[in-house]
């Protein structure tokens, strides 16, 4: 496997004391470079006649690589490491979100209106006119981010407490990109019935629900039941956010190779929440030849170990992932590191499209297939064409809440994907630019507008 690229998730800050003489900083940066570190910003903190203190930011590729970089710096004579800081852990100290008041209370009149006795009038208004809760409380702009911690990122079943940093991050992104107030709800149960009950009991506070990091196949049942039993939109980002962004990127990638989604052979590796949702959305978009694989190979009618979600995509062909990829136009990976070889990519059709989206280590390193694929995408921010769910979920929930949708429909997913794809103009479209940046301010608004339109066409909008 190719050496991983240093990236900010393993970023450290080194506070160094160096002699104040020519060439000392160069010796330090040379040591970092030879250890494979990627030097970022550096700052002069203080300087005297004899020495200076500098802070250097360095990206590494793993925890072991961090230790290698530190060891390399320690070998530089006359340099003293004063402090080592893990920058990723530092920004998580104390949590990443907070609750702030929208009102300033200056006097008794303010207090009487914001709280008792004036608030009682507002309570009665909601009791008599239930829809007013959307206007007179936080409900109309608030999302519950619900998890049981059973499938945290690609790390597995870490439980609710260890899932909290991810949910906080999700809340941060909802606020940053869509202006939505979101709150982490990490449930201390992995019982399907208990999760459904808990979310239903919490629902009066929230305008929408974002399910997150719940393992398959339970996530399918939980989502289906909540959609049936609640009158607010329920969105499972691991399924539908991934599917929306994948389709958006694929729409543009296919333009570059002059192929049609209706004619290509698509291989998806990973038949959990994301893989199944991608397959369903591609079908709705017109794909007719989809081969879905899991860790045991092709989902075949000959297998007797398929759950209902996998069985829906079973085909007559059997065999391994390598067998499935022969002649394929597109490979979409939502599975595990390093499961695709260069030989497997070489067996694909002409101008292959490869989306290796396993994170942090993709199914195949892009460096291994440079020049061998027409379009390459990953889930990582340090390579071109990052398939990142933040392009979808803020705008989807923004649009759903704005039109007070009762549910989120497949047409809303489809229109969201088309809206994202359309933000890359023909003039901008290249093999390394098939999807907008997550910091493109147009994205959430475009997705929200598309979602609202689809909700009204589907008859699920109440506003």
């Amino acid at each position: 496997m190719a050496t991983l690229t240093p990236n900010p998730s393993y970023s450290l800050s080194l506070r160094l004391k160096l002699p104040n003489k020519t060439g000392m900083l160069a010796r330090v940066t040379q040591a970092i470079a030879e250890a494979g570190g990627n030097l970022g910003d550096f700052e002069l903190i203080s300087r005297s006649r004899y020495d200076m203190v500098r802070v250097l930011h360095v990206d590494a590729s793993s925890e072991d690589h961090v230790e290698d970089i530190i060891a390399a710096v320690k070998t530089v004579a006359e340099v003293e490491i004063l402090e080592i800081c893990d920058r990723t852990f530092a920004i998580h100290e104390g949590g990443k979100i907070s609750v702030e008041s929208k009102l300033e209370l200056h006097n008794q009149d303010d207090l009487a209106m914001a709280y008792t006795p004036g608030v009682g009038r507002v309570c009665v208004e909601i009791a008599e006119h239930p829809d007013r809760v959307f206007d007179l409380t936080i409900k109309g702009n608030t999302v519950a981010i619900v998890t049981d911690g059973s499938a945290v990122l690609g790390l597995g079943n870490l439980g609710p407490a260890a899932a909290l940093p991810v949910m906080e991050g999700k809340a941060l992104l909802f606020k940053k990109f869509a202006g939505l107030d979101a709150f982490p709800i990490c449930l201390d149960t992995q019982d399907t019935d208990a999760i459904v009950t808990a979310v239903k009991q919490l629902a009066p506070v929230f305008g929408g629900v974002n399910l997150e990091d719940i393992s398959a196949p339970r996530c399918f049942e939980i989502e289906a039941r909540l959609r049936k039993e609640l009158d607010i939109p329920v969105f499972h980002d691991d399924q539908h956010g991934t599917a929306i962004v994948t389709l958006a990127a694929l729409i543009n990638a296919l333009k570059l190779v002059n192929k049609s989604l209706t004619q290509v052979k698509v291989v998806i590796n990973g038949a959990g929440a994301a893989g199944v949702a991608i397959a369903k959305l591609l079908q709705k978009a017109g794909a007719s030849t989809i081969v879905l694989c899991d860790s045991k190979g092709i989902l075949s009618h000959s297998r007797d170990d398929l759950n209902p979600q996998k069985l829906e995509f079973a085909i007559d062909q059997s065999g391994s992932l390598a067998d499935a990829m022969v002649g394929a136009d597109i490979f979409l990976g939502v599975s595990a590191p390093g499961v695709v070889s260069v030989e497997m990519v070489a067996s694909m059709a002409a101008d292959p499209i490869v989306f290796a989206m396993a994170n942090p280590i993709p199914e195949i390193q892009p460096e291994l297939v440079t020049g061998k694929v027409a379009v390459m995408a990953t889930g990582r921010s340090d390579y071109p064409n990052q398939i990142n769910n933040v392009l979808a979920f803020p705008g989807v929930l923004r649009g759903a809440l704005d039109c007070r949708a009762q549910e989120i429909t497949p047409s809303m997913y489809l229109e969201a994907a088309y809206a994202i794809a359309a933000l890359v103009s023909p003039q901008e479209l290249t093999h390394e630019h098939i999807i907008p940046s997550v910091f493109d301010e147009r994205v959430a608004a475009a997705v929200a507008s598309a979602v609202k339109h689809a909700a009204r066409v589907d008859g699920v909008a109440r506003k």
Side-chain angles (χ1 to χ4, degrees):
M1 182 176 294
T3 302
L4 293 179
T5 306
N7 65 88
S9 63
Y10 292 101
S11 183
L12 65 151
S13 175
L14 297 174
R15 191 180 187 92
L16 307 176
K17 184 177 181 180
L18 307 87
N20 186 5
K21 58 186 182 182
T22 303
M24 287 305 304
L25 180 60
R27 288 167 59 190
V28 173
T29 58
Q30 180 65 26
I32 291 170
E34 290 177 354
N38 190 16
L39 185 65
D41 294 339
F42 56 92
E43 180 181 2
L44 177 64
I45 303 301
S46 65
R47 177 163 49 190
S48 70
R49 178 179 176 184
Y50 302 104
D51 53 47
M52 65 182 74
V53 175
R54 289 185 179 272
V55 172
L56 280 66
H57 294 163
V58 185
D59 288 349
S61 59
S62 66
E63 291 183 1
D64 289 341
H65 191 204
V66 167
E67 295 303 319
D68 292 342
I69 292 169
I70 293 170
V73 174
K74 286 180 177 178
T75 66
V76 182
E78 301 182 88
V79 172
E80 179 184 356
I81 300 179
L82 301 178
E83 183 182 12
I84 301 169
C85 175
D86 185 316
R87 297 178 67 210
T88 297
F89 273 78
I91 68 169
H92 286 259
E93 288 288 343
K96 303 186 290 296
I97 60 173
S98 64
V99 176
E100 297 182 359
S101 173
K102 294 169 67 176
L103 304 177
E104 294 185 9
L105 300 180
H106 296 292
N107 51 48
Q108 290 292 336
D109 288 352
D110 293 341
L111 184 61
M113 289 186 289
Y115 195 52
T116 186
V119 73
R121 294 182 55 220
V122 180
C123 295
V124 171
E125 173 72 9
I126 292 171
E128 293 178 349
H129 307 283
D131 280 353
R132 290 283 276 156
V133 69
F134 287 95
D135 305 315
L136 297 172
T137 73
I138 63 172
K139 184 179 179 77
N141 197 58
T142 306
V143 175
I145 307 172
V146 178
T147 188
D148 64 357
S150 60
V152 179
L153 302 176
L155 303 171
N157 189 350
L158 302 185
L164 184 54
V166 178
M167 305 310 123
E168 283 188 359
K170 208 79 171 188
L172 184 73
L173 297 174
F174 270 118
K175 188 68 173 181
K176 167 69 176 177
F177 294 108
L180 288 167
D181 297 313
F183 198 82
I185 307 293
C186 299
L187 299 174
D188 193 12
T189 178
Q190 293 185 1
D191 178 79
T192 296
D193 291 336
I195 292 170
V196 171
T197 298
V199 176
K200 289 171 63 178
Q201 291 171 339
L202 290 166
V205 179
F206 299 98
V209 174
N210 185 94
L211 300 175
E212 189 79 18
D213 290 355
I214 300 172
S215 62
R218 294 180 308 115
C219 61
F220 300 115
E221 180 183 352
I222 291 168
E223 181 198 27
R225 288 176 58 182
L226 287 173
R227 287 188 164 197
K228 182 178 180 180
E229 298 175 35
L230 292 177
D231 65 349
I232 56 175
V234 177
F235 184 73
H236 185 200
D237 184 49
D238 299 321
Q239 288 187 66
H240 311 299
T242 306
I244 289 167
V245 182
T246 299
L247 175 58
L250 195 54
I251 289 167
N252 285 337
L254 286 167
K255 293 176 185 176
L256 291 168
V257 296
N258 296 312
K259 294 182 181 180
S260 167
L261 185 59
T262 59
Q263 298 173 331
V264 293
K265 175 184 176 181
V266 182
V267 173
I268 302 173
N269 194 50
V276 169
I278 290 169
K280 287 184 176 180
L281 190 58
L282 291 185
Q283 281 186 335
K284 185 169 180 62
S288 58
T289 306
I290 298 175
V291 182
L292 197 58
C293 301
D294 62 11
S295 60
K296 297 180 181 179
I298 297 170
L299 302 189
S300 170
H301 289 301
S302 63
R303 290 174 53 177
D304 59 4
D305 61 344
L306 304 182
N307 62 39
Q309 289 77 28
K310 292 183 179 182
L311 193 59
E312 184 178 346
F313 290 94
I315 61 176
D316 292 334
Q317 181 186 359
S318 61
S320 65
L321 173 61
D323 296 323
M325 288 182 65
V326 174
D329 299 278
I330 297 164
F331 169 81
L332 306 175
V334 280
S335 52
V339 296
V340 173
S341 68
V342 174
E343 292 73 22
M344 291 160 70
V345 172
S347 76
M348 296 175 68
D351 295 324
I353 294 169
V354 175
F355 289 6
M357 297 179 283
N359 234 335
I361 303 174
E363 285 81 0
I364 185 167
Q365 289 293 123
E367 296 90 343
L368 296 177
V369 289
T370 300
K372 298 180 174 67
V373 299
V375 182
M376 181 80 196
T378 71
R380 290 174 60 120
S381 60
D382 51 343
Y383 291 110
N385 300 329
Q386 184 190 20
I387 308 300
N388 192 323
N389 287 16
V390 76
L391 289 166
F393 67 81
V396 170
L397 269 298
R398 175 78 277 166
L401 266 65
D402 283 350
C403 69
R404 294 187 189 170
Q406 294 175 294
E407 61 178 297
I408 302 178
T409 66
S411 294
M412 293 158 79
Y413 306 146
L414 196 62
E415 292 303 319
Y418 291 149
I420 294 169
L423 291 175
V424 180
S425 70
Q427 295 75 27
E428 297 171 317
L429 183 62
T430 69
H431 296 266
E432 292 195 347
H433 182 47
I434 59 171
I435 199 81
S437 164
V438 297
F439 294 103
D440 187 330
E441 295 181 354
R442 302 172 299 163
V443 173
V447 171
S449 178
V451 165
K452 285 186 284 188
H453 173 74
R456 289 171 180 139
V457 171
D458 286 348
V460 297
R462 291 175 288 188
K463 179 180 175 181

